């Protein structure tokens, strides 16, 4: 059984830390890219729902206007 010195243990720990940092960096990059895609998707869905909301508001306004004008005229 080989006895490890303090220097060997420290170097081994540094290698493990470097490997961990590398893996975390890769995961962070993947998460950032996925969040950007989700933001773009949410923006496109929001634009669609906003158009639908304006359509509904326009139809309600037109309907209310036609009812008002039908009763006045």
């Amino acid at each position: 059984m080989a006895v490890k010195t303090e220097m060997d243990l420290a170097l081994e720990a540094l290698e493990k830390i470097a490997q961990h940092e590398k893996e975390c960096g890769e995961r962070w990059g993947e998460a950032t890219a996925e969040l950007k895609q989700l933001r773009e998707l949410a923006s496109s869905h929001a634009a669609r729902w906003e158009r639908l909301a304006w359509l509904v508001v326009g139809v309600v306004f037109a309907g209310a206007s036609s009812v008002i004008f039908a009763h006045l005229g």
Side-chain angles (χ1 to χ4, degrees):
M1 186 193 283
V3 177
K4 292 187 179 182
T5 64
E6 290 86 7
M7 181 63 82
D8 292 335
L9 290 174
L11 290 173
E12 185 179 325
L14 284 174
E15 288 175 17
K16 288 182 180 180
I17 291 170
Q19 181 64 27
H20 177 75
E21 288 292 322
K22 180 182 174 188
E23 291 173 4
C24 286
E26 291 172 359
R27 288 184 192 154
W28 179 257
E30 292 170 1
T32 303
E34 190 170 336
L35 284 173
K36 285 180 183 178
Q37 290 174 350
L38 284 172
R39 184 182 330 137
E40 292 170 4
L41 183 64
S43 294
S44 69
H45 283 296
R48 260 188 242 144
W49 282 106
E50 185 177 1
R51 284 193 302 258
L52 179 63
W54 280 112
L55 176 66
V56 169
V57 167
V59 167
V60 168
F61 183 72
S65 299
S66 66
V67 168
I68 290 171
F69 286 126
H71 284 277
L72 290 179

